[in-house]
Amino acid sequence: MKIPEDRMTPKERIGSLLQGKPIDRVPCVPVILNGCCTAAGYTVKEMTLDGEKFGKANVATYRKYGYDMICLLDATATTAEAAGTKLCYPDNAPAYVEDPLIKSVDDVKKLRPLDPTKDGRLNNYLVATEYCVSEVGSEVFVGTLFAGPFTTAACLRGTETLVRDCYKNKDLVHQLVRWSTDVTIVFLEEVIKRGGVPVLCEPVGTGSILSLKMFTEYIEPYFKEIHEFIKSKGLPVLDHICGDCMPILESWMRTEPTVLSVDRVDIGEVSQRVGDRVGVMGNVTPGKTLFMGTPESVDAEVKEVMDKAGKNPCGFVLASGCEVPVGTPPENITAMMNAARKYGQHPLT
């Protein structure tokens, strides 16, 4: 089958989708985060520690594949690191928490307001955002991804410890999530000034870890604050939650996002339950299909996902369910883009 040519730029396509206007095809976003270092000849560590290289790597990868939104993120512990959590930086894998800051209740006193232009690596995101916007912002939206407040709290405290605190030390959890929300909004102000579009990622605040009651208490009110701030700037709200979002779906919906990005769930069920109220994004399998599969298996899964959710009433964005692993074969990413062009021509039949 001949691959249809695009008739809109990524920015036109996403913008029209969000406004309910006609588009040429379904938007496609393989979520390439740390893996974008390859296109610019960097290691993950080199890219992670240099804001300009971070931007250059993302622009090079976008130009290589032509996907519909740039996604700037290297680790979800960046805000916690700026506060004092220590990270480990492997040469060719994402950074991870090595030593959380908050080891006792008294350590909360160590938390202070952050200056995104000076503290930790937050400014790397601002530099990268500005670079991407200057280079390709006329044709594609630059999504600047950030950790949700519960995930930031987990990176401050340690995930297992924080989840235990949800039962035994509720006040501490709220203190950490409150601080995380406040400093995140300050950071987002700077991102938006530079032309970035905030994208909230909450890998720890998932139904795979939290009950509906816990999500409702520790995440819902703080999501609402962040969403209201983003909307006040005239921007859409795009959220991603890893793992199984089904147990917490209705609480998540009460925070009024614009688009839900989902991971390991039946995306057809998500569309049936909430697709008349919200856009849906997802969820080609990053590991088994994109990393370990073939172009043929990628094509088959894209078709399956499109059959389930492509006609979502409030719009659909084809994407990987989570981060595309470092070292994913380029031909599989190209296959995903081409499958979007094959099966996603509008109007969908």
Side-chain angles (χ1 to χ4, degrees), residues 126-338:
L126 305 182
V127 170
T129 298
E130 200 160 12
Y131 181 88
C132 292
V133 170
S134 68
E135 289 290 314
V136 294
S138 63
E139 60 190 77
V140 64
F141 285 110
V142 178
T144 305
L145 283 59
F146 64 98
F150 193 82
T151 293
T152 296
C155 294
L156 289 167
R157 181 74 166 138
T159 299
E160 291 184 12
T161 305
L162 184 73
V163 173
R164 286 197 298 269
D165 288 336
C166 288
Y167 296 98
K168 298 181 178 180
N169 199 339
K170 293 187 175 186
D171 287 344
L172 175 61
V173 177
H174 279 292
Q175 283 181 281
L176 296 179
V177 180
R178 174 76 268 156
W179 177 89
S180 300
T181 301
D182 292 342
V183 299
T184 292
I185 288 173
V186 173
F187 171 66
L188 296 184
E189 182 81 57
E190 296 298 327
V191 167
I192 294 167
K193 284 180 185 177
R194 289 159 176 79
V197 177
V199 178
L200 191 159
C201 302
E202 190 68 276
V204 182
T206 167
S208 300
I209 297 175
L210 303 182
S211 67
L212 174 60
K213 181 179 179 181
M214 291 166 69
F215 188 96
T216 301
E217 178 172 358
Y218 297 116
I219 294 181
E220 183 178 326
Y222 302 100
F223 263 34
K224 283 182 178 178
E225 286 188 45
I226 293 172
H227 290 177
E228 287 170 3
F229 171 77
I230 294 171
K231 288 179 179 179
S232 75
K233 301 297 182 178
L235 294 171
V237 173
L238 171 55
D239 291 347
H240 174 78
I241 291 181
C242 293
D244 184 3
C245 69
M246 301 310 285
I248 50 87
L249 186 59
E250 287 303 326
S251 179
W252 188 7
M253 284 296 297
R254 287 196 294 269
T255 68
E256 299 184 355
T258 309
V259 178
L260 303 182
S261 170
V262 298
D263 187 11
R264 296 192 301 272
V265 295
D266 183 335
I267 199 165
E269 183 181 351
V270 175
S271 180
Q272 289 173 6
R273 284 181 57 178
V274 301
D276 60 339
R277 293 178 278 162
V278 69
V280 173
M281 178 172 172
N283 70 337
V284 177
T285 310
K288 183 178 179 181
T289 301
L290 289 170
F291 182 64
M292 295 187 291
T294 64
E296 291 75 20
S297 62
V298 172
D299 185 276
E301 185 166 339
V302 168
K303 186 176 187 305
E304 180 182 355
V305 169
M306 287 294 304
D307 287 344
K308 288 182 174 181
K311 296 181 182 179
N312 188 68
C314 286
F316 176 70
V317 178
L318 178 72
S320 50
C322 200
E323 177 178 5
V324 174
V326 177
T328 291
E331 59 268 26
N332 286 355
I333 298 170
T334 298
M336 181 175 172
M337 293 301 306
N338 285 339

Side-chain angles (χ1 to χ4, degrees), residues 56-79:
K56 287 181 176 178
N58 274 276
V59 168
T61 308
Y62 160 71
R63 285 176 170 158
K64 180 175 181 177
Y65 296 111
Y67 42 71
D68 288 297
M69 186 175 71
I70 287 176
C71 296
L72 287 167
L73 183 71
D74 56 60
T76 54
T78 306
T79 302

